[in-house]
Amino acid sequence: MKQWENFSKGFIRDNPVFVLFLGLCPTLAVTTSAYNGLGMGLATTFVLVMSNLVVSIIKNLIPGKVRIPTFIVVIASFVTMVEMLTQAFVPDLYEQLGIFIPLIVVNCLVLGRSEAFASKNDIFSAIIDGLGMGLGFALALTVLGAVREVLGSGSLTLIPDVAEFTIYQGDGMLVFVLAPGAFLALGYLIMLADKLKKKMY
Amino acid sequence: MDYLVIIISAIFVNNIVLNRFLGICPFIGVSSKVETAIGMTGAVAFVMTLATIITYLLQTYILVPLSITFMQTITFILIIASLVQLVEIVLKKVSPPMYQALGIFLPLITTNCAIMGVALLAVQNNYNLVESVLFGIANAIGFGLALILFAGIREHLDLVDVPKPMRGVPIAFIVAGLLSLAFMGFSGIV
Protein backbone atom coordinates (compact mmCIF):
# COMPACT_ATOMS: atom_id res chain seq x y z
CA MET A 1 0.00 0.00 0.00
CA LYS A 2 2.79 2.38 0.95
CA GLN A 3 4.63 1.62 -2.30
CA TRP A 4 1.46 2.28 -4.30
CA GLU A 5 1.22 5.72 -2.72
CA ASN A 6 4.91 6.27 -3.44
CA PHE A 7 4.28 5.37 -7.08
CA SER A 8 1.05 7.29 -7.64
CA LYS A 9 2.03 10.59 -6.01
CA GLY A 10 3.76 11.79 -9.20
CA PHE A 11 0.60 11.71 -11.28
CA ILE A 12 -1.57 14.37 -9.64
CA ARG A 13 -0.67 15.18 -6.04
CA ASP A 14 3.03 15.94 -6.57
CA ASN A 15 3.04 16.15 -10.34
CA PRO A 16 6.51 17.48 -11.29
CA VAL A 17 5.21 19.91 -13.91
CA PHE A 18 1.75 21.01 -12.77
CA VAL A 19 2.33 21.11 -9.02
CA LEU A 20 6.08 21.26 -8.28
CA PHE A 21 7.04 23.31 -11.40
CA LEU A 22 10.20 21.27 -12.00
CA GLY A 23 11.74 20.63 -15.40
CA LEU A 24 9.84 23.39 -17.15
CA CYS A 25 12.33 24.06 -19.94
CA PRO A 26 11.88 20.75 -21.79
CA THR A 27 8.18 20.85 -20.91
CA LEU A 28 7.64 24.05 -22.83
CA ALA A 29 10.16 23.50 -25.57
CA VAL A 30 9.48 20.02 -26.94
CA THR A 31 5.70 19.74 -26.59
CA THR A 32 4.80 20.80 -30.13
CA SER A 33 3.15 17.38 -30.55
CA ALA A 34 1.95 14.64 -28.21
CA TYR A 35 4.57 12.26 -29.64
CA ASN A 36 7.48 14.62 -28.85
CA GLY A 37 6.14 15.12 -25.33
CA LEU A 38 5.78 11.38 -24.78
CA GLY A 39 9.28 10.71 -26.13
CA MET A 40 10.87 13.35 -23.93
CA GLY A 41 8.88 12.09 -20.93
CA LEU A 42 10.00 8.49 -21.41
CA ALA A 43 13.64 9.51 -21.96
CA THR A 44 13.54 11.46 -18.69
CA THR A 45 11.83 8.53 -16.93
CA PHE A 46 14.67 6.23 -17.96
CA VAL A 47 17.30 8.64 -16.63
CA LEU A 48 15.30 9.20 -13.45
CA VAL A 49 14.84 5.49 -12.66
CA MET A 50 18.45 4.56 -13.40
CA SER A 51 19.98 7.51 -11.53
CA ASN A 52 17.69 6.92 -8.55
CA LEU A 53 18.76 3.26 -8.54
CA VAL A 54 22.48 4.03 -8.67
CA VAL A 55 22.32 6.90 -6.18
CA SER A 56 20.39 4.69 -3.77
CA ILE A 57 23.02 1.92 -4.10
CA ILE A 58 26.02 4.22 -3.53
CA LYS A 59 24.38 6.56 -1.01
CA ASN A 60 26.49 5.31 1.91
CA LEU A 61 29.77 5.48 -0.03
CA ILE A 62 29.64 9.16 -1.00
CA PRO A 63 30.97 11.76 1.45
CA GLY A 64 28.30 14.39 2.13
CA LYS A 65 30.32 17.31 0.77
CA VAL A 66 30.77 15.95 -2.74
CA ARG A 67 27.36 14.33 -3.09
CA ILE A 68 25.93 16.87 -5.58
CA PRO A 69 28.83 16.57 -8.09
CA THR A 70 28.63 12.79 -7.72
CA PHE A 71 24.91 12.81 -8.49
CA ILE A 72 25.55 15.02 -11.52
CA VAL A 73 28.16 12.60 -12.90
CA VAL A 74 25.81 9.64 -12.40
CA ILE A 75 22.97 11.50 -14.13
CA ALA A 76 25.22 12.71 -16.97
CA SER A 77 26.32 9.12 -17.70
CA PHE A 78 22.73 7.95 -18.13
CA VAL A 79 21.88 11.02 -20.20
CA THR A 80 24.74 10.16 -22.56
CA MET A 81 23.31 6.62 -22.83
CA VAL A 82 19.85 8.00 -23.66
CA GLU A 83 21.42 10.29 -26.26
CA MET A 84 23.10 7.35 -27.98
CA LEU A 85 20.01 5.10 -27.73
CA THR A 86 17.60 7.67 -29.19
CA GLN A 87 20.06 8.53 -31.95
CA ALA A 88 20.31 4.86 -32.88
CA PHE A 89 16.70 3.69 -32.55
CA VAL A 90 14.44 6.74 -33.04
CA PRO A 91 16.52 9.17 -35.15
CA ASP A 92 13.49 11.32 -36.07
CA LEU A 93 12.73 11.91 -32.39
CA TYR A 94 16.42 12.67 -31.78
CA GLU A 95 16.26 15.36 -34.49
CA GLN A 96 13.07 16.86 -33.02
CA LEU A 97 14.25 17.01 -29.42
CA GLY A 98 17.65 18.46 -30.36
CA ILE A 99 19.67 19.93 -27.52
CA PHE A 100 16.97 19.09 -25.00
CA ILE A 101 18.22 15.50 -24.74
CA PRO A 102 21.66 16.52 -23.36
CA LEU A 103 19.84 19.12 -21.29
CA ILE A 104 18.06 16.35 -19.29
CA VAL A 105 21.24 16.53 -17.21
CA VAL A 106 20.26 19.96 -15.87
CA ASN A 107 16.60 19.05 -15.41
CA CYS A 108 16.02 19.98 -11.78
CA LEU A 109 13.53 17.12 -11.44
CA VAL A 110 16.23 14.45 -11.84
CA LEU A 111 18.75 16.04 -9.47
CA GLY A 112 15.91 16.91 -7.10
CA ARG A 113 14.75 13.29 -6.75
CA SER A 114 18.34 12.06 -6.25
CA GLU A 115 18.91 14.58 -3.51
CA ALA A 116 15.49 14.55 -1.84
CA PHE A 117 14.51 10.89 -2.17
CA ALA A 118 17.05 8.37 -3.53
CA SER A 119 19.87 9.43 -1.21
CA LYS A 120 17.67 8.75 1.83
CA ASN A 121 15.67 5.65 0.88
CA ASP A 122 16.19 1.96 0.06
CA ILE A 123 16.76 0.75 -3.48
CA PHE A 124 13.24 -0.56 -4.17
CA SER A 125 11.50 2.62 -2.97
CA ALA A 126 13.94 4.72 -5.02
CA ILE A 127 13.10 2.81 -8.21
CA ILE A 128 9.35 3.10 -7.57
CA ASP A 129 9.74 6.81 -6.83
CA GLY A 130 11.70 7.37 -10.05
CA LEU A 131 9.16 5.42 -12.07
CA GLY A 132 6.17 7.28 -10.58
CA MET A 133 7.71 10.73 -10.90
CA GLY A 134 9.01 9.98 -14.40
CA LEU A 135 5.66 8.71 -15.64
CA GLY A 136 3.92 11.71 -14.03
CA PHE A 137 6.33 13.94 -15.95
CA ALA A 138 5.65 11.99 -19.16
CA LEU A 139 1.90 12.28 -18.56
CA ALA A 140 2.14 16.06 -18.12
CA LEU A 141 4.23 16.46 -21.28
CA THR A 142 1.92 14.25 -23.33
CA VAL A 143 -1.18 16.14 -22.17
CA LEU A 144 0.43 19.52 -22.92
CA GLY A 145 1.68 18.22 -26.29
CA ALA A 146 -1.76 16.86 -27.15
CA VAL A 147 -3.52 20.13 -26.26
CA ARG A 148 -1.07 22.19 -28.32
CA GLU A 149 -1.16 19.82 -31.28
CA VAL A 150 -4.96 19.57 -31.38
CA LEU A 151 -5.49 23.32 -31.06
CA GLY A 152 -2.60 24.23 -33.31
CA SER A 153 -2.84 21.82 -36.21
CA GLY A 154 -5.99 19.77 -35.71
CA SER A 155 -4.22 16.43 -35.48
CA LEU A 156 -3.06 14.15 -32.68
CA THR A 157 0.08 12.02 -33.06
CA LEU A 158 0.83 9.55 -30.29
CA ILE A 159 3.06 7.32 -32.42
CA PRO A 160 3.75 8.37 -36.04
CA ASP A 161 2.09 6.06 -38.63
CA VAL A 162 0.56 3.88 -35.88
CA ALA A 163 -1.62 6.13 -33.76
CA GLU A 164 -2.24 9.30 -35.75
CA PHE A 165 -5.66 10.94 -35.61
CA THR A 166 -7.22 13.88 -37.39
CA ILE A 167 -9.48 15.80 -35.02
CA TYR A 168 -10.72 18.43 -37.45
CA GLN A 169 -9.96 19.58 -40.96
CA GLY A 170 -8.62 22.98 -41.92
CA ASP A 171 -6.26 25.43 -40.29
CA GLY A 172 -5.70 25.37 -36.55
CA MET A 173 -4.65 28.19 -34.27
CA LEU A 174 -1.03 28.31 -35.32
CA VAL A 175 0.00 30.28 -32.24
CA PHE A 176 -0.33 27.14 -30.09
CA VAL A 177 2.42 25.37 -32.00
CA LEU A 178 4.66 28.45 -31.73
CA ALA A 179 6.42 29.64 -28.58
CA PRO A 180 3.67 31.81 -26.97
CA GLY A 181 1.16 28.94 -27.14
CA ALA A 182 3.37 26.84 -24.87
CA PHE A 183 3.18 29.41 -22.08
CA LEU A 184 -0.56 30.02 -22.54
CA ALA A 185 -1.50 26.32 -22.66
CA LEU A 186 0.65 25.47 -19.63
CA GLY A 187 -0.85 28.38 -17.66
CA TYR A 188 -4.38 27.08 -18.17
CA LEU A 189 -3.37 23.44 -17.56
CA ILE A 190 -1.74 24.36 -14.22
CA MET A 191 -4.98 26.02 -13.20
CA LEU A 192 -7.01 22.93 -14.13
CA ALA A 193 -4.58 20.57 -12.39
CA ASP A 194 -4.84 22.64 -9.23
CA LYS A 195 -8.63 22.34 -9.37
CA LEU A 196 -8.39 18.57 -9.91
CA LYS A 197 -5.93 18.17 -7.06
CA LYS A 198 -8.18 20.04 -4.63
CA LYS A 199 -11.11 17.82 -5.62
CA MET A 200 -9.15 14.58 -5.12
CA TYR A 201 -7.20 15.27 -1.92
CA MET B 1 28.06 42.25 -40.13
CA ASP B 2 27.81 38.60 -39.15
CA TYR B 3 28.58 39.59 -35.59
CA LEU B 4 25.70 42.06 -35.55
CA VAL B 5 23.35 39.39 -36.87
CA ILE B 6 24.41 37.01 -34.07
CA ILE B 7 23.83 39.67 -31.43
CA ILE B 8 20.45 40.92 -32.69
CA SER B 9 19.18 37.42 -33.32
CA ALA B 10 20.21 36.18 -29.84
CA ILE B 11 18.70 39.13 -27.99
CA PHE B 12 15.43 39.72 -29.85
CA VAL B 13 14.57 37.19 -32.53
CA ASN B 14 15.51 33.94 -30.84
CA ASN B 15 15.30 35.22 -27.29
CA ILE B 16 16.74 32.53 -25.07
CA VAL B 17 13.85 32.52 -22.59
CA LEU B 18 10.82 33.48 -24.63
CA ASN B 19 11.66 31.65 -27.81
CA ARG B 20 14.13 28.89 -26.98
CA PHE B 21 12.67 28.04 -23.55
CA LEU B 22 16.00 27.90 -21.73
CA GLY B 23 16.29 29.16 -18.16
CA ILE B 24 12.57 29.00 -17.41
CA CYS B 25 13.10 28.04 -13.75
CA PRO B 26 14.80 31.33 -12.72
CA PHE B 27 12.47 33.17 -15.12
CA ILE B 28 9.46 32.04 -13.08
CA GLY B 29 11.28 31.66 -9.76
CA VAL B 30 13.22 34.90 -9.15
CA SER B 31 11.15 37.33 -11.18
CA SER B 32 8.82 38.68 -8.52
CA LYS B 33 11.05 41.76 -7.92
CA VAL B 34 13.06 43.85 -10.37
CA GLU B 35 15.97 44.06 -7.92
CA THR B 36 16.49 40.29 -7.64
CA ALA B 37 15.99 39.96 -11.38
CA ILE B 38 18.92 42.34 -11.95
CA GLY B 39 21.11 40.38 -9.51
CA MET B 40 20.31 37.11 -11.22
CA THR B 41 21.04 38.63 -14.62
CA GLY B 42 24.46 39.78 -13.46
CA ALA B 43 25.37 36.32 -12.17
CA VAL B 44 24.10 34.60 -15.31
CA ALA B 45 25.92 37.03 -17.63
CA PHE B 46 29.19 36.43 -15.80
CA VAL B 47 29.01 32.64 -15.76
CA MET B 48 27.47 32.30 -19.22
CA THR B 49 30.25 34.26 -20.95
CA LEU B 50 32.99 32.35 -19.11
CA ALA B 51 31.30 28.99 -19.67
CA THR B 52 30.91 29.58 -23.40
CA ILE B 53 34.61 30.42 -23.76
CA ILE B 54 35.82 27.43 -21.76
CA THR B 55 33.48 24.91 -23.35
CA TYR B 56 34.51 26.21 -26.79
CA LEU B 57 38.21 25.64 -25.99
CA LEU B 58 37.43 22.22 -24.51
CA GLN B 59 35.41 21.17 -27.54
CA THR B 60 37.94 22.41 -30.15
CA TYR B 61 41.22 21.43 -28.53
CA ILE B 62 40.36 18.32 -26.50
CA LEU B 63 37.11 16.60 -27.47
CA VAL B 64 37.34 16.90 -31.27
CA PRO B 65 41.07 16.03 -31.71
CA LEU B 66 40.64 12.97 -29.49
CA SER B 67 37.28 12.19 -31.17
CA ILE B 68 35.49 11.74 -27.88
CA THR B 69 32.62 14.16 -28.55
CA PHE B 70 30.21 11.71 -26.91
CA MET B 71 31.72 12.89 -23.61
CA GLN B 72 30.33 16.37 -24.31
CA THR B 73 27.40 16.19 -21.89
CA ILE B 74 29.46 14.94 -18.94
CA THR B 75 32.43 17.26 -19.47
CA PHE B 76 30.30 20.36 -20.10
CA ILE B 77 28.22 19.93 -16.97
CA LEU B 78 31.32 19.30 -14.85
CA ILE B 79 33.01 22.40 -16.30
CA ILE B 80 29.95 24.52 -15.55
CA ALA B 81 29.53 23.15 -12.02
CA SER B 82 33.19 23.73 -11.13
CA LEU B 83 33.18 27.13 -12.83
CA VAL B 84 30.29 28.23 -10.63
CA GLN B 85 32.18 27.07 -7.52
CA LEU B 86 35.34 28.86 -8.71
CA VAL B 87 33.52 32.09 -9.48
CA GLU B 88 31.96 31.95 -6.03
CA ILE B 89 35.34 31.51 -4.30
CA VAL B 90 37.10 34.17 -6.40
CA LEU B 91 34.32 36.72 -5.98
CA LYS B 92 34.30 36.17 -2.23
CA LYS B 93 38.02 37.03 -2.05
CA VAL B 94 38.33 39.70 -4.71
CA SER B 95 35.10 41.66 -4.51
CA PRO B 96 33.03 41.15 -1.35
CA PRO B 97 30.37 43.73 -2.38
CA MET B 98 29.80 41.95 -5.68
CA TYR B 99 29.71 38.63 -3.84
CA GLN B 100 27.06 40.08 -1.53
CA ALA B 101 24.98 41.06 -4.54
CA LEU B 102 25.35 37.91 -6.64
CA GLY B 103 26.23 35.32 -4.00
CA ILE B 104 22.83 33.80 -3.37
CA PHE B 105 22.16 33.39 -7.09
CA LEU B 106 25.39 31.56 -7.92
CA PRO B 107 24.50 28.08 -6.58
CA LEU B 108 21.22 28.24 -8.50
CA ILE B 109 23.09 28.66 -11.75
CA THR B 110 24.54 25.13 -11.94
CA THR B 111 21.15 23.71 -12.80
CA ASN B 112 20.18 26.67 -14.99
CA CYS B 113 19.77 25.09 -18.39
CA ALA B 114 20.43 28.42 -20.10
CA ILE B 115 24.18 28.15 -19.38
CA MET B 116 24.55 24.61 -20.68
CA GLY B 117 22.10 25.30 -23.51
CA VAL B 118 24.07 28.29 -24.81
CA ALA B 119 27.33 26.32 -24.63
CA LEU B 120 25.75 23.45 -26.61
CA LEU B 121 24.15 25.81 -29.15
CA ALA B 122 27.46 27.61 -29.76
CA VAL B 123 29.11 24.27 -30.52
CA GLN B 124 26.18 23.12 -32.66
CA ASN B 125 26.25 26.33 -34.76
CA ASN B 126 30.01 25.90 -35.40
CA TYR B 127 30.86 29.34 -34.06
CA ASN B 128 34.51 30.40 -33.79
CA LEU B 129 35.91 31.80 -30.56
CA VAL B 130 34.87 35.44 -31.14
CA GLU B 131 31.42 34.42 -32.30
CA SER B 132 31.01 32.12 -29.28
CA VAL B 133 31.92 34.90 -26.87
CA LEU B 134 29.51 37.32 -28.56
CA PHE B 135 26.82 34.65 -28.59
CA GLY B 136 27.31 34.10 -24.85
CA ILE B 137 27.15 37.82 -24.02
CA ALA B 138 24.19 38.48 -26.32
CA ASN B 139 22.22 35.60 -24.83
CA ALA B 140 22.96 36.87 -21.33
CA ILE B 141 21.58 40.27 -22.38
CA GLY B 142 18.53 38.59 -23.89
CA PHE B 143 18.01 36.62 -20.68
CA GLY B 144 18.32 39.82 -18.63
CA LEU B 145 15.94 41.72 -20.88
CA ALA B 146 13.23 39.08 -20.64
CA LEU B 147 13.71 38.58 -16.89
CA ILE B 148 13.66 42.29 -16.00
CA LEU B 149 10.67 43.06 -18.27
CA PHE B 150 8.80 40.15 -16.75
CA ALA B 151 9.69 41.19 -13.20
CA GLY B 152 8.42 44.71 -13.91
CA ILE B 153 5.11 43.34 -15.14
CA ARG B 154 4.81 40.98 -12.16
CA GLU B 155 5.34 43.83 -9.70
CA HIS B 156 2.31 45.54 -11.21
CA LEU B 157 0.40 42.29 -11.36
CA ASP B 158 0.37 42.16 -7.54
CA LEU B 159 -1.87 45.21 -7.51
CA VAL B 160 -4.37 43.81 -9.99
CA ASP B 161 -7.50 41.86 -9.13
CA VAL B 162 -6.75 38.52 -10.80
CA PRO B 163 -9.50 35.83 -10.85
CA LYS B 164 -8.89 33.51 -7.90
CA PRO B 165 -8.00 30.24 -9.68
CA MET B 166 -5.51 32.10 -11.90
CA ARG B 167 -3.52 33.69 -9.08
CA GLY B 168 0.17 32.97 -8.71
CA VAL B 169 1.85 30.73 -11.27
CA PRO B 170 -0.95 30.34 -13.87
CA ILE B 171 -1.23 34.09 -14.47
CA ALA B 172 2.57 34.33 -14.61
CA PHE B 173 2.55 31.85 -17.49
CA ILE B 174 -0.21 33.73 -19.32
CA VAL B 175 1.81 36.96 -18.96
CA ALA B 176 4.92 35.17 -20.21
CA GLY B 177 2.89 33.95 -23.19
CA LEU B 178 1.84 37.49 -24.05
CA LEU B 179 5.43 38.72 -23.66
CA SER B 180 6.58 35.94 -25.95
CA LEU B 181 3.88 36.95 -28.44
CA ALA B 182 5.27 40.51 -28.35
CA PHE B 183 8.80 39.22 -29.03
CA MET B 184 7.47 37.31 -32.05
CA GLY B 185 7.11 40.73 -33.64
CA PHE B 186 10.89 40.78 -34.02
CA SER B 187 10.97 37.65 -36.15
CA GLY B 188 11.99 38.42 -39.68
CA ILE B 189 14.28 41.37 -38.95
CA VAL B 190 17.43 39.31 -39.54
Side-chain angles (χ1 to χ4, degrees):
Chain A
M1 200 60 216
K2 196 179 141 281
Q3 288 301 351
W4 169 246
E5 214 167 81
N6 187 11
F7 175 71
S8 64
K9 69 178 184 296
F11 289 90
I12 298 288
R13 204 188 70 201
D14 286 329
N15 188 286
V17 175
F18 294 143
V19 180
L20 303 178
F21 313 125
L22 294 172
L24 291 175
C25 303
T27 306
L28 290 163
V30 304
T31 51
T32 46
S33 74
Y35 171 60
N36 286 355
L38 185 64
M40 185 70 202
L42 292 181
T44 312
T45 307
F46 172 78
V47 175
L48 199 53
V49 171
M50 297 312 283
S51 62
N52 260 9
L53 168 70
V54 172
V55 165
S56 177
I57 292 172
I58 59 172
K59 63 176 183 279
N60 294 327
L61 302 174
I62 332 169
K65 274 190 179 161
V66 292
R67 67 180 195 285
I68 301 282
T70 321
F71 295 164
I72 291 180
V73 174
V74 170
I75 294 166
S77 324
F78 287 114
V79 171
T80 309
M81 279 167 65
V82 165
E83 229 180 311
M84 290 169 164
L85 289 172
T86 44
Q87 198 173 9
F89 291 105
V90 271
D92 58 322
L93 189 69
Y94 180 79
E95 281 297 307
Q96 291 275 322
L97 299 182
I99 61 162
F100 285 92
I101 294 181
L103 284 180
I104 296 175
V105 80
V106 283
N107 188 330
C108 17
L109 171 64
V110 182
L111 188 65
R113 294 326 287 176
S114 292
E115 164 73 3
F117 196 92
S119 62
K120 297 187 183 92
N121 286 282
D122 61 281
I123 297 168
F124 185 63
S125 307
I127 295 176
I128 297 293
D129 174 78
L131 203 58
M133 278 300 194
L135 292 177
F137 185 71
L139 176 78
L141 261 67
T142 314
V143 169
L144 183 59
V147 168
R148 286 180 67 189
E149 200 187 346
V150 168
L151 290 176
S153 56
S155 60
L156 182 64
T157 322
L158 285 174
I159 305 159
D161 302 328
V162 180
E164 271 189 76
F165 310 99
T166 310
I167 310 294
Y168 57 83
Q169 295 290 333
D171 296 332
M173 291 178 272
L174 189 64
V175 71
F176 277 97
V177 184
L178 300 173
F183 288 108
L184 296 176
L186 184 60
Y188 283 106
L189 282 177
I190 288 175
M191 190 183 76
L192 287 178
D194 190 53
K195 202 92 188 152
L196 191 66
K197 186 189 155 196
K198 277 187 183 137
K199 233 183 199 146
M200 286 173 70
Y201 295 97
Chain B
M1 193 56 211
D2 278 355
Y3 297 146
L4 196 68
V5 170
I6 291 178
I7 295 173
I8 300 284
S9 123
I11 298 178
F12 295 110
V13 183
N14 287 318
N15 185 281
I16 184 166
V17 181
L18 298 168
N19 203 304
R20 288 199 202 271
F21 303 112
L22 294 167
I24 299 289
C25 299
F27 182 65
I28 298 293
V30 298
S31 64
S32 45
K33 274 195 191 130
V34 174
E35 210 174 295
T36 42
I38 293 174
M40 186 70 189
T41 306
V44 166
F46 203 65
V47 177
M48 194 183 271
T49 315
L50 275 177
T52 322
I53 298 171
I54 296 179
T55 49
Y56 172 81
L57 297 174
L58 179 81
Q59 173 80 15
T60 329
Y61 295 106
I62 299 177
L63 295 187
V64 173
L66 296 176
S67 52
I68 45 167
T69 41
F70 64 89
M71 291 291 284
Q72 207 184 40
T73 312
I74 299 182
T75 44
F76 277 24
I77 189 67
L78 283 178
I79 291 280
I80 292 168
S82 31
L83 192 66
V84 171
Q85 286 282 315
L86 195 75
V87 167
E88 207 177 339
I89 297 167
V90 171
L91 268 189
K92 208 174 185 174
K93 275 274 179 228
V94 177
S95 163
M98 201 165 156
Y99 177 76
Q100 286 282 314
L102 304 183
I104 47 165
F105 301 108
L106 282 173
L108 295 174
I109 286 181
T110 317
T111 50
N112 182 344
C113 47
I115 310 280
M116 174 109 167
V118 168
L120 286 171
L121 281 172
V123 168
Q124 220 172 53
N125 294 348
N126 286 322
Y127 286 152
N128 62 31
L129 185 59
V130 182
E131 287 169 334
S132 300
V133 175
L134 283 178
F135 188 65
I137 297 173
N139 271 307
I141 297 173
F143 177 80
L145 182 71
L147 195 67
I148 293 167
L149 276 178
F150 190 55
I153 299 176
R154 275 185 95 177
E155 277 189 356
H156 283 275
L157 210 58
D158 289 343
L159 310 170
V160 182
D161 186 24
V162 177
K164 209 174 160 206
M166 296 291 287
R167 271 178 209 166
V169 178
I171 193 71
F173 273 104
I174 307 289
V175 169
L178 296 177
L179 202 57
S180 162
L181 208 55
F183 268 72
M184 264 180 73
F186 291 116
S187 61
I189 60 169
V190 277

